[in-house]
């Protein structure tokens, strides 16, 4: 029965409702059979009523016990099955849970592996893109050489050589494209790698592209060797380095060549001289050249004009520098020539004179005409120095001596010049202090009208008398003032002082006296020069017909166009202009006609020899005659003798000036001289 019950309750298809129905049916069948058959059996066996009642009682208790047992069995079996199923279910659940955890772990592993794979793919793709971009960005070509087959392949050749990929060509065909100057080095480096004597092939060389033009490339490569050490393949890359080489060349050019003139610079010059100094047997000299008044060009037209002038000077010098000599620009307006194989004074003089002469022609810059001169210093090896610094310093000293001697000249170095340079430095400092202390004064020299004999006017001349009473000659401090730029301050002071003196003499009863003031090259080139003069005229309210300016040929010709413009403006304000020292500068009649001048002053150098040289006298007569035709008044300066006076008077000069009449005098003494001169007439 238990087995039957187990079969009933263990059925896989029985659900909870079916099982409950089966229990109810069993209990009903059992109870119904008990009721139907127990009484019949009892009545057939027992007839006594009282016994039957007692047995009925026992039967009821037995029924209760029997049904309880049946209920127990059914419940036990059912619960036992449930418990067994729960245990089985729990076991299955645990197994399922373990399986799930395994699956979960496997899934996590798969996810991790998938992520790693995805990252690896992404990194691979990035690497591919990076390699591609690097290759494209670097314009590199990839090459591969199969040594056994003698087959060369070059990928992306178009980027470098301008042609499609090169494939299946012999290595010698490739070598044919390499520049002949580089080929030997390339082959040697290539063979060292093939012979396992060098690990890497790295070489820079020039190669011909499809247009037949050579370009610079940097080629890298590495060989693969078999077990016996024989190279079987070589692969690498090729980079176009033409731009880098051009930049390298440019940097080298900047390091050794002047950017403005394209001449070798100071560094290149020093190295060249240094190489000559290495051999005592070498003979050479240095010509050191500095342009006169170059700063005025920069001040007038700006640095662009200055650069153009430097290039023009470099071109001009290049025409006169001999083939094996080295012309350099050392900086600023300084040039130097390394003269190889020459130390003879006469040869060097000829050299220097040709350079000086080359500056006689004007330089045309930005519609302006400049007359530039040069001062030259010369040193010789080994007599003037055995080291480059000493040679250059001594050449510089000689050049400054030329400048202080009137410029536009050359000088050889002499040991005594060092002492002169020290004196010059001392004088420069003293001059600056004298300007600050107002230690300069004006002297005046009369100009006499040769027709009337009257004093026509005075020339104002600056003088420097030190506190100790010593006199500094004008030809010593005026060139120095020009060189240092102090002439601007001094020149403005002279104009103002002369105007004040004109007013002072009028107030003292002499009336207005005409005064001529000298103007320097640097003054006339100042942009605000005319404005400064006009300001002084307005401040002192002076009649400009009593004021004139004297300008030398050199000053006028320096920047001819600029000078003409300024002189015209001054004349419009009533200031007359004299061309001073005619005959000492360019003495060009072509330019003389173009200059806006009123007077022409014959230099003392002309006057000194008019009595001794008939030709010189004829020249003076011709100049005076020409001046008359140009409607110019002629002033002869430097008259010291009566015979000179008679000559220039006969020749037709208008005015005379010189020691024959009076030396330059300070303002107080010239006042007395004028008073006495007028009384004596």
């Amino acid at each position: 029965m238990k087995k039957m019950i187990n079969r009933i309750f263990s059925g896989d298809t029985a659900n909870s409702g079916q099982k409950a129905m089966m229990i109810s049916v069993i209990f009903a069948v059992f109870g119904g059979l008990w009721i139907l058959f127990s009484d019949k059996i009892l009545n057939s066996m027992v007839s006594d009523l009282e016994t039957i009642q007692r047995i009925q009682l026992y039967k009821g208790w037995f029924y209760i016990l029997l049904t309880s047992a049946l209920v127990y069995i059914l419940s036990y079996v059912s619960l036992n099955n449930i418990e067994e199923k729960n245990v089985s279910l729990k076991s299955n659940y645990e197994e399922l849970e373990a399986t799930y955890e395994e699956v979960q772990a496997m899934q996590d592993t798969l996810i991790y592996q998938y992520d790693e794979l995805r990252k690896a793919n992404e990194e691979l793709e990035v690497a591919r893109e990076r390699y591609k971009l690097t290759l494209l960005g670097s314009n590199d070509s990839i090459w591969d050489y199969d040594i056994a087959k003698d087959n060369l392949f070059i990928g992306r050749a178009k980027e470098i050589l301008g042609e499609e990929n090169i494939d299946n060509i012999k290595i010698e065909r490739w070598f044919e494209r390499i520049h002949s100057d580089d080929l030997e080095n390339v082959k040697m480096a290539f063979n060292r790698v093939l012979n396992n004597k060098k690990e890497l092939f790295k070489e820079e060389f020039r190669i011909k592209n499809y247009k037949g033009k050579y370009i610079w490339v940097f080629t890298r490569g590495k060989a693969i060797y078999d077990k016996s050490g024989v190279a079987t393949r070589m692969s690498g890359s090729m980079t176009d380095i033409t731009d880098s080489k051009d930049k390298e060349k440019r940097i080298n050019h900047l390091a050794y060549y002047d950017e403005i003139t394209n001449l070798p610079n100071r560094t290149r010059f020093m190295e060249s001289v240094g190489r000559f100094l290495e051999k005592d047997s070498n003979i050479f000299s240095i010509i050191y050249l500095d342009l006169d008044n170059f700063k005025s060009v920069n001040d007038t037209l700006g640095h662009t004009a200055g650069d153009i002038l430097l290039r023009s000077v470099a071109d001009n010098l290049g025409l006169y520098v001999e083939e094996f000599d080295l012309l350099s620009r050392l900086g600023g307006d300084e040039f130097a020539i390394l003269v190889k194989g020459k130390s003879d004074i006469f040869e060097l003089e000829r050299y220097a004179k040709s350079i000086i002469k080359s500056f006689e022609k004007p330089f045309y810059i930005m519609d302006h005409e400049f007359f530039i001169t040069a001062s030259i210093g010369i040193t010789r090896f080994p007599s003037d120095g055995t080291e480059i610094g000493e040679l250059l310093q001594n050449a510089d000293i000689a050049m400054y001596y030329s400048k202080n001697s009137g410029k536009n000249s050359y000088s050889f170095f002499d040991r005594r010049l060092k002492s002169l340079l020290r004196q010059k430095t001392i004088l420069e400092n003293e001059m600056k202090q004298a300007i600050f202390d107002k230690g300069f004064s004006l002297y005046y020299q009369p100009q006499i009208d040769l027709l009337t004999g009257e004093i026509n006017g005075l020339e104002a001349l600056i003088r420097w008398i030190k506190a100790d009473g010593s006199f500094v000659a004008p030809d010593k401090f005026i060139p120095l003032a020009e060189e240092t730029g102090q002439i601007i301050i001094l020149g403005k002071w002279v104009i103002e002082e002369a105007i004040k003196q004109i007013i002072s003499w009028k107030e003292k009863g002499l009336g207005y006296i005409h005064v001529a003031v000298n103007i320097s090259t640097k003054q006339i080139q100042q942009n605000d020069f005319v404005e400064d003069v006009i300001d002084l005229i307005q401040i002192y309210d002076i009649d400009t017909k009593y004021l004139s300016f004297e300008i030398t040929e050199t000053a006028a010709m320096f920047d001819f166009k600029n000078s003409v413009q300024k002189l015209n403006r001054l004349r419009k304000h009533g200031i007359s202009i004299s061309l001073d020292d005619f005959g000492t500068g360019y003495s060009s009649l072509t330019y003389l006609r173009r200059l806006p001048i009123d007077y022409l002053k014959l230099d003392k150098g002309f006057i000194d020899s008019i009595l001794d040289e008939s030709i010189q006298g004829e020249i003076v007569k011709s100049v005076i005659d020409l001046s008359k035709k140009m409607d110019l008044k002629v002033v002869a300066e430097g008259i010291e003798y009566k015979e000179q006076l008679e000559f220039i008077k006969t020749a037709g000069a208008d005015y005379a000036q010189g020691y024959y009449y009076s030396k330059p005098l300070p303002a107080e003494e010239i006042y007395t001289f004028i008073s006495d001169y007028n009384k004596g007439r």
Side-chain angles (χ1 to χ4, degrees):
M1 183 178 177
K2 184 178 180 182
K3 291 180 180 180
M4 181 188 71
I5 293 173
N6 281 334
R7 281 198 302 270
I8 293 171
F9 286 100
S10 63
D12 293 333
T13 59
N15 55 33
S16 298
Q18 291 173 333
K19 291 178 181 179
M21 181 62 72
M22 288 179 184
I23 293 173
S24 300
V25 169
I26 292 170
F27 189 78
V29 170
F30 182 81
L33 291 174
W34 177 268
I35 294 172
L36 289 175
F37 295 104
S38 63
D39 285 342
K40 286 183 179 182
I41 295 170
L42 181 59
N43 288 333
S44 64
M45 292 177 63
V46 181
S47 59
D48 184 42
L49 182 59
E50 188 176 335
T51 301
I52 291 171
Q53 288 178 340
R54 194 170 48 256
I55 291 172
Q56 285 283 0
L57 179 62
Y58 292 147
K59 186 184 71 166
W61 283 107
F62 179 75
Y63 176 77
I64 293 171
L65 289 172
L66 189 59
T67 55
S68 295
L70 182 60
V71 170
Y72 171 77
I73 291 169
L74 292 172
S75 299
Y76 175 78
V77 170
S78 177
L79 291 173
N80 188 53
N81 286 336
I82 291 172
E83 186 175 350
E84 287 177 357
K85 287 184 185 264
N86 284 338
V87 171
S88 176
L89 183 62
K90 183 177 181 183
S91 176
N92 290 338
Y93 176 76
E94 289 175 351
E95 290 178 4
L96 183 62
E97 189 176 47
T99 302
Y100 174 76
E101 289 177 354
E102 290 178 3
V103 171
Q104 186 67 39
M106 190 178 296
Q107 183 182 9
D108 291 342
T109 302
L110 288 173
I111 291 173
Y112 174 76
Q113 291 176 344
Y114 173 77
D115 288 341
E116 289 297 311
L117 183 61
R118 180 177 52 80
K119 289 179 181 177
N121 285 334
E122 289 177 353
E123 290 176 359
L124 180 60
E125 188 62 29
V126 169
R128 285 175 179 167
E129 288 296 324
R130 187 177 296 149
Y131 175 75
K132 182 179 178 181
L133 288 172
T134 301
L135 199 58
L136 290 172
S138 64
N139 284 331
D140 281 3
S141 286
I142 304 300
W143 58 271
D144 178 73
Y145 178 49
D146 188 331
I147 299 170
K149 296 180 180 179
D150 191 19
N151 180 20
L152 177 65
F153 166 78
I154 302 176
R156 298 187 70 247
K158 190 170 186 178
E159 278 74 5
I160 293 181
L161 302 173
E163 52 194 290
E164 298 300 330
N165 293 342
I166 298 173
D167 195 6
N168 196 26
I169 68 166
K170 304 297 183 183
I171 195 68
E172 284 300 327
R173 287 274 310 281
W174 179 249
F175 286 155
E176 288 174 2
R177 303 177 71 158
I178 297 175
H179 196 285
S180 58
D181 292 345
D182 305 327
L183 182 58
E184 185 178 352
N185 289 335
V186 173
K187 282 187 173 182
M188 288 175 60
F190 198 77
N191 289 328
R192 280 196 294 268
V193 176
L194 291 182
N195 297 327
N196 209 359
K197 294 180 179 179
K198 190 176 180 183
E199 184 179 357
L200 295 174
F201 171 73
K202 292 194 296 184
E203 200 70 25
E204 293 180 358
F205 55 89
R206 286 159 290 181
I207 193 163
K208 195 179 296 183
N209 64 12
Y210 81 105
K211 292 182 178 179
K213 178 183 177 183
Y214 282 105
I215 62 170
W216 277 96
V217 294
F218 174 51
T219 302
R220 302 168 292 277
K222 189 171 184 179
I224 300 173
Y225 304 92
D226 60 17
K227 293 180 180 180
S228 59
V230 177
T232 59
R233 189 174 223 91
M234 188 187 294
S235 299
S237 62
M238 182 169 59
T239 306
D240 185 349
I241 59 169
T242 305
D243 287 345
S244 299
K245 281 290 182 179
D246 288 344
K247 289 177 183 176
E248 182 181 319
K249 185 178 179 181
R250 172 67 175 159
I251 291 170
N252 183 71
H253 190 82
L254 289 174
Y256 288 99
Y257 289 84
D258 175 52
E259 195 168 3
I260 295 174
T261 63
N262 209 33
L263 291 176
N265 61 12
R266 177 181 285 272
T267 302
R268 170 81 186 282
F269 184 82
M270 300 283 274
E271 289 185 2
S272 298
V273 175
R275 285 193 292 271
F276 265 77
L277 289 171
E278 291 173 359
K279 292 184 179 180
D280 294 335
S281 59
N282 281 335
I283 296 174
F284 69 91
S285 301
I286 294 176
I287 294 178
Y288 194 92
L289 181 149
D290 185 271
L291 301 181
D292 299 326
N293 300 320
F294 173 75
K295 187 175 181 296
S296 297
V297 178
N298 282 337
D299 293 342
T300 304
L301 298 178
H303 290 282
T304 300
D307 292 347
I308 295 172
L309 176 59
L310 289 173
R311 284 192 286 272
S312 299
V313 169
D315 293 340
N316 179 64
L317 290 173
L319 299 175
Y320 294 87
V321 172
E322 296 183 6
E323 183 178 359
F324 297 105
D325 297 341
L326 178 67
L327 170 64
S328 301
R329 180 188 173 222
L330 302 185
D333 59 348
E334 297 173 349
F335 295 82
I337 303 171
L338 173 60
V339 183
K340 302 173 185 177
K342 287 187 177 69
S343 63
D344 181 74
I345 290 180
F346 295 107
E347 284 188 295
L348 293 171
E349 275 189 332
R350 178 188 58 78
Y351 211 142
K353 285 177 179 178
S354 68
I355 292 172
I356 293 292
K357 188 173 179 61
S358 73
F359 284 88
E360 291 181 356
K361 295 179 181 179
F363 292 89
Y364 295 94
I365 300 163
M366 298 172 66
D367 295 329
H368 286 256
E369 197 173 20
F370 288 93
F371 281 86
I372 303 294
T373 58
S375 297
I376 293 175
I378 305 171
T379 51
R380 298 174 295 156
F381 173 81
S383 59
D384 296 332
T386 56
E387 294 186 3
I388 184 169
E390 183 183 12
L391 286 166
L392 278 176
Q393 182 185 36
N394 291 342
D396 188 49
I397 291 171
M399 181 272 294
Y400 270 109
Y401 181 77
S402 297
K403 266 194 191 301
N404 293 335
S405 300
K407 304 177 182 179
N408 195 31
S409 61
Y410 64 90
S411 301
F412 285 89
F413 174 74
D414 188 294
R415 299 292 169 184
R416 292 171 296 179
L417 296 183
K418 285 189 175 182
S419 175
L420 294 174
L421 184 63
R422 284 193 295 270
Q423 293 174 18
K424 173 204 164 199
T425 303
I426 294 171
L427 187 64
E428 180 181 344
N429 292 329
E430 290 178 342
M431 181 179 66
K432 290 178 180 178
Q433 188 63 44
I435 292 173
F436 181 79
D437 295 338
K438 301 185 185 308
F440 290 89
S441 59
L442 287 185
Y443 277 47
Y444 300 89
Q445 189 173 35
Q447 295 176 343
I448 308 300
D449 188 325
L450 294 178
L451 183 63
T452 64
E454 297 177 353
I455 296 176
N456 180 66
L458 306 170
E459 180 182 2
L461 300 165
I462 189 168
R463 294 292 183 263
W464 179 12
I465 301 175
K466 294 182 180 180
D468 61 1
S470 60
F471 180 82
V472 182
D475 61 355
K476 296 292 183 184
F477 72 84
I478 290 179
L480 184 60
E482 282 265 10
E483 179 187 336
T484 61
Q486 300 297 322
I487 196 70
I488 303 299
I489 300 172
L490 282 175
K492 189 172 182 178
W493 175 83
V494 168
I495 296 171
E496 184 171 12
E497 190 67 17
I499 291 173
K500 288 161 65 176
Q501 193 60 62
I502 292 171
I503 295 172
S504 174
W505 284 327
K506 180 180 181 299
E507 291 174 349
K508 289 180 179 180
L510 286 180
Y512 277 117
I513 298 176
H514 182 276
V515 175
V517 176
N518 289 283
I519 304 300
S520 73
T521 303
K522 286 189 181 292
Q523 278 180 279
I524 195 68
Q525 299 306 323
Q526 289 293 304
N527 291 330
D528 55 357
F529 171 68
V530 176
E531 285 71 18
D532 286 346
V533 172
I534 294 171
D535 287 344
L536 289 173
I537 291 170
Q538 293 175 345
I539 290 171
Y540 292 100
D541 192 25
I542 187 174
D543 189 340
T544 54
K545 71 180 181 180
Y546 297 106
L547 181 66
S548 67
F549 288 155
E550 294 188 3
I551 183 171
T552 65
E553 284 184 85
T554 303
M557 302 299 284
F558 176 74
D559 180 359
F560 189 78
K561 182 178 179 180
N562 184 43
S563 299
V564 168
Q565 290 174 347
K566 289 179 179 177
L567 294 178
N568 276 324
R569 290 180 62 192
L570 291 170
R571 292 181 80 205
K572 285 180 180 179
H573 283 85
I575 299 173
S576 56
I577 306 297
S578 295
L579 184 64
D580 196 11
D581 298 339
F582 182 78
T584 62
Y586 298 91
S587 303
S588 170
L589 298 180
T590 301
Y591 290 102
L592 184 62
R593 286 195 299 267
R594 291 163 57 187
L595 280 171
I597 57 176
D598 305 285
Y599 298 88
L600 187 144
K601 293 190 74 174
L602 292 174
D603 183 66
K604 184 178 183 297
F606 268 134
I607 303 302
D608 287 343
S609 56
I610 56 175
L611 300 178
D612 301 327
E613 299 180 23
S614 58
I615 296 178
Q616 191 80 338
E618 291 303 317
I619 292 174
V620 170
K621 289 179 182 178
S622 298
V623 171
I624 294 174
D625 184 56
L626 179 64
S627 299
K628 294 294 183 181
K629 291 178 180 178
M630 295 176 63
D631 199 25
L632 298 176
K633 298 291 185 181
V634 177
V635 181
E637 61 180 344
I639 303 297
E640 296 180 356
Y641 306 105
K642 185 176 181 181
E643 292 81 5
Q644 292 173 332
L645 176 63
E646 293 299 328
F647 183 94
I648 59 106
K649 189 174 183 181
T650 303
D654 299 286
Y655 307 102
Q657 173 185 344
Y659 275 66
Y660 178 78
Y661 292 106
S662 171
K663 65 180 181 180
L665 299 171
E668 298 79 10
E669 293 183 28
I670 200 68
Y671 173 81
T672 303
F673 174 85
I674 294 173
S675 299
D676 293 344
Y677 187 88
N678 289 337
K679 289 177 183 177
R681 290 184 55 77

